[in-house]
Amino acid sequence: MTVVAAGVDLCDMRRIEKAIDRFGDRFLERVFTPTERARAERRSGQARIGAYAKRWAAKEACAKALGTGFAQGVAHSLIGVENLPSGQPTLVLAGAAKLRLAALIPAGSSPHLVLSMTDEPPYAFAEVIISVTPG
């Protein structure tokens, strides 16, 4: 396995909370996938804000690892965080984000994205590592 790229992000949870308070569903629907919103909305209070903030940080870290940031068609809504049955978070890319990942991967290789997220109020942190395996 060879590491191709990595990205990290530290997010102030208070910033996400203010955006949710100010823009409500418009913000949530523009930035987060239905799966992400459903997961966060099962929580309340700071746990709800933490769920959104960690996913925001994951999207930012992924965009950095892709090497584009939020440009070249890569948008927050095209980077989704889902959880495996074990609870481990994983990334699901669509559209321009998926195309950018494909462009990073050498021919004949398979991509592997590793996501780690945590929060300690008032901060949320995420790290994304993109690696490849031959064949």
Side-chain angles (χ1 to χ4, degrees), residues 11-72:
C11 171
D12 189 325
M13 294 168 64
R14 297 167 293 195
R15 180 174 167 235
I16 300 304
E17 184 173 27
K18 286 178 186 174
I20 293 170
D21 289 346
R22 182 171 179 196
F23 301 108
D25 286 341
R26 195 172 96 214
F27 170 73
L28 295 175
E29 290 170 5
R30 184 173 52 95
V31 173
F32 300 99
T33 67
T35 300
E36 291 170 320
R37 292 192 309 271
R39 185 171 182 89
E41 293 301 325
R42 287 195 298 264
R43 292 161 174 73
S44 61
Q46 280 304 113
R48 175 177 171 262
I49 299 303
Y52 281 123
K54 285 185 285 191
R55 282 153 183 78
W56 174 277
K59 293 166 184 283
E60 293 277 344
C62 184
K64 291 171 185 175
L66 291 173
T68 58
F70 291 104
Q72 301 176 31

Side-chain angles (χ1 to χ4, degrees), residues 58-132:
K59 293 166 184 283
E60 293 277 344
C62 184
K64 291 171 185 175
L66 291 173
T68 58
F70 291 104
Q72 301 176 31
V74 175
H76 288 87
S77 61
L78 298 176
I79 301 169
V81 176
E82 295 185 6
N83 292 79
L84 300 174
S86 66
Q88 176 185 354
T90 189
L91 291 163
V92 177
L93 306 184
K98 188 174 184 176
L99 292 173
R100 177 61 185 155
L101 175 63
L104 288 175
I105 305 307
S109 298
S110 299
H112 183 67
L113 284 77
V114 175
L115 168 62
S116 182
M117 305 183 297
T118 190
D119 65 333
E120 180 64 39
Y123 300 106
F125 176 82
E127 177 180 35
V128 172
I129 298 171
I130 300 173
S131 61
V132 295

